[in-house]
Amino acid sequence: MRALLLIDIQNDFLPGGALPVPRGDEVIGVANRLLGDYPLIVATRDWHPPNHVSFVSQHPGHRIGEVVEVDGISQVLWPDHCIQHTWGAAFAPELNTQRIDHIVSKGTDPRVDSYSGFFDNARRRATGLHDYLRSAGVVEIDIMGLATDYCVQFTVLDACELGYRTRVVLAGCRGVELKCGDTTRAIEAMEAAGAILVE
Ligand code: VGL
Ligand code: ZN
């Protein structure tokens, strides 16, 4: 069984959102075109409480893009984004959400971030995605969405480690590029981990 995994195609990651990914809106059409080709579609969403540890608002005196240590884990500071139940956290209105079979929320713990759709950054808690895919008999996943250098990358690395045959649909991914070259480095890391890159 093969599944399509859509990563964080949410308003705040699109141009005009709180944490806009350059040309992030271009992935929506790719997702809508691919939806028909898969028996199972799973979408992740970044789903933060208002006091989330990744928000710059929670770290007075610090700036966006700075890295702080929290409970022994490095945390990049982001603009406040994808707050549960807000417009910014909603899926892009143009995305055909009718065909999504299952939604996985991540980043819900105020104390720890979760770039991967499978585990939080401290690897303390699983999101339930692996259990869901396993129960559905999924052995192959095609992954696309936002952002290449964060949530797509870490989801792909975990998928490879968990033993899924993993493909990255590059045409359906865009990077934040906080540092120049992050997207290219992420693509190299995913390939090195065993993911197949496809356009
Ligand atoms: C993401 C930064 C912060 C992502 C989520 O979806 O790639 N990036 N939260
Ligand atoms: Zn986030």
Side-chain angles (χ1 to χ4, degrees):
M1 172 83 141
R2 193 159 65 117
L4 178 65
L5 185 51
L6 303 174
I7 306 295
D8 300 2
I9 307 182
Q10 295 166 272
N11 289 318
D12 270 342
F13 296 125
L14 303 178
L19 203 175
V21 176
R23 299 165 55 211
D25 51 326
E26 293 174 4
V27 310
I28 300 167
V30 178
N32 288 339
R33 278 192 295 278
L34 283 180
L35 287 171
D37 299 345
Y38 293 82
L40 190 75
I41 321 276
V42 180
T44 65
R45 63 180 179 184
D46 218 26
W47 196 245
H48 296 313
N51 61 339
H52 192 252
V53 65
S54 73
F55 293 174
V56 71
S57 64
Q58 303 301 304
H59 304 268
H62 292 272
R63 281 189 303 266
I64 291 164
E66 269 185 53
V67 181
V68 297
E69 285 279 315
V70 180
D71 301 334
I73 339 171
S74 297
Q75 176 64 57
V76 179
L77 301 183
W78 301 104
D80 297 19
H81 64 281
C82 295
I83 296 171
Q84 296 168 3
H85 308 292
T86 64
W87 176 86
F91 289 120
E94 300 84 3
L95 181 66
N96 180 5
T97 53
Q98 312 273 14
R99 291 249 24 241
I100 296 172
D101 297 292
H102 184 66
I103 295 171
V104 173
S105 301
K106 61 185 180 63
T108 56
D109 180 342
R111 296 295 301 168
V112 60
D113 210 352
S114 187
Y115 294 143
S116 164
F118 290 99
F119 303 102
D120 65 46
N121 291 2
R123 291 194 150 254
R124 270 196 292 263
R125 270 205 290 188
T127 59
L129 175 59
H130 185 42
D131 288 339
Y132 177 83
L133 294 174
R134 209 168 25 188
S135 317
V138 172
V139 292
E140 263 187 319
I141 29 185
D142 289 2
I143 301 181
M144 58 156 287
L146 305 171
T148 317
D149 38 358
Y150 283 91
C151 291
V152 171
Q153 175 180 202
F154 290 100
T155 303
V156 167
L157 296 181
D158 281 342
C160 291
E161 196 177 314
L162 290 166
Y164 293 97
R165 249 179 289 150
T166 308
R167 302 203 301 176
V168 187
V169 183
L170 289 176
C173 298
R174 294 291 181 279
V176 188
E177 203 73 7
L178 196 60
K179 287 198 300 289
C180 188
D182 278 352
T183 305
T184 305
R185 281 188 289 273
I187 292 168
E188 287 166 0
M190 292 187 284
E191 194 172 27
I196 308 292
L197 310 178
V198 295
E199 263 310 310

